[in-house]
Amino acid sequence: MKKVIGLGMVILTVLASPIHAAAPTPGSADDPVVTKSYLEQYVQGLGGSVGTGGGSNGLTESKIKEIIAQEMAKLPTNNGGGGTPSTGQGNAMKVVTLKAGQTILADAGSELIVRNGKTLAVSNDDNGIPDVTAGKDLAAGTVVQNNHLLIFPRDGRGVKPDLKETADVYVMVRGGYVVQNADGSKVPQ
């Protein structure tokens, strides 16, 4: 009887123990480990050195900022439409004035808010412009509501003042864009 109870305990212990077969091996490609020697080699490749304490042989704050700036400069910018990129102001929105007959075409990924006046959606294809405030797509020729956030998934879409609008229209833009006159010429920014 003791053998049966002992064997039962062993079986229960084996069945109840967690299985670690799915866990990645530390240091493998699925679970990489960054070692001190790797970090030192990487930093030396960038032209710096890693110190071991408060000594003067370590990276300074200015050197770290310089390395970060160099690495950020290597990143691609999202300005595929050739318009005016957003300035180095981070996520700041820029106020743009549209005169009668002008059209603003946003680059892919840009955001736009019409602040005043009556405007119409412009698109070079059958797809619309997402109005995230209203939760719907605006087809070409549709009236754009003021203070609604529009997001442009592709180049070639934008807004223009209604033909009856004579006053300047102000829009806020985040991202790249191009302002065109009625004849198709670009307005210098």
Side-chain angles (χ1 to χ4, degrees):
M1 184 69 170
K2 288 184 180 182
K3 286 185 176 183
V4 173
I5 292 176
L7 183 61
M9 293 292 282
V10 169
I11 292 174
L12 281 175
T13 304
V14 169
L15 292 177
S17 66
I19 299 174
H20 297 287
T25 305
S28 68
D30 295 330
D31 186 17
V33 176
V34 178
T35 62
K36 182 178 178 241
S37 62
Y38 171 80
L39 183 61
E40 287 173 347
Q41 181 182 9
Y42 180 77
V43 171
Q44 286 174 351
L46 295 175
S49 64
V50 179
T52 56
S56 62
N57 65 340
L59 287 173
T60 63
E61 183 177 348
S62 62
K63 183 64 178 174
I64 292 171
K65 287 181 180 180
E66 180 183 329
I67 292 170
I68 291 172
Q70 289 171 354
E71 294 298 315
M72 293 291 288
K74 295 177 186 177
L75 295 176
T77 58
N78 183 11
N79 190 22
T84 304
S86 60
T87 61
Q89 309 270 329
N91 289 328
M93 294 193 93
K94 182 177 181 182
V95 177
V96 178
T97 305
L98 293 178
K99 307 276 186 205
Q102 292 182 333
T103 302
I104 184 167
L105 298 174
D107 290 348
S110 295
E111 301 172 1
L112 184 140
I113 300 172
V114 177
R115 295 291 292 147
N116 74 313
K118 185 175 179 182
T119 58
L120 303 174
V122 176
S123 180
N124 61 2
D125 58 23
D126 293 337
N127 295 316
I129 301 167
D131 178 343
V132 295
T133 305
K136 62 181 180 179
D137 275 355
L138 303 177
T142 305
V143 173
V144 176
Q145 297 296 314
N146 291 348
N147 299 314
H148 279 221
L149 176 63
L150 308 179
I151 298 178
F152 296 85
R154 288 188 169 49
D155 296 343
R157 300 175 189 177
V159 298
K160 66 179 180 181
D162 187 281
L163 294 175
K164 298 174 187 172
E165 185 68 50
T166 57
D168 289 349
V169 172
Y170 294 94
V171 296
M172 295 170 38
V173 183
R174 178 180 297 136
Y177 65 92
V178 173
V179 177
Q180 291 181 344
N181 289 316
D183 63 2
S185 63
K186 291 184 180 179
V187 175
Q189 299 299 317

